[in-house]
Amino acid sequence: MKQLAWQQIPSPVISELLCNVGLDGVVIDTEHGFFDNQTLFSCIQIIDMCKKLCYVRVTEPNKTLVRACLDAGADGII
């Protein structure tokens, strides 16, 4: 079973910190965090560069956002 951190604070610095606590990856929770697209994509790319799993929890099914997250390097959508 994979161990994942949940990120609700919209900051690439937080993403990097969460990548360095010994877990397998990070779930970026856009449902309860206030991420703009630029910050969201930066967080995804930081997690990807750290070679950790990255999942994005979206507030609603939005094809454009889902495709953009996957293109930015997310491993999956919740």
Side-chain angles (χ1 to χ4, degrees), residues 16-37:
E16 187 172 7
L17 290 171
L18 291 173
C19 286
N20 291 309
V21 296
L23 300 176
D24 298 307
V26 179
V27 176
I28 301 172
D29 187 359
T30 66
E31 185 172 3
H32 296 107
F34 298 101
F35 290 82
D36 62 26
N37 285 347

Side-chain angles (χ1 to χ4, degrees), residues 47-62:
I47 297 165
D48 189 49
M49 287 178 11
C50 290
K51 306 291 186 212
K52 299 291 183 174
L53 293 171
C54 178
Y55 298 98
V56 179
R57 180 182 186 187
V58 295
T59 57
E60 60 187 357
N62 177 318

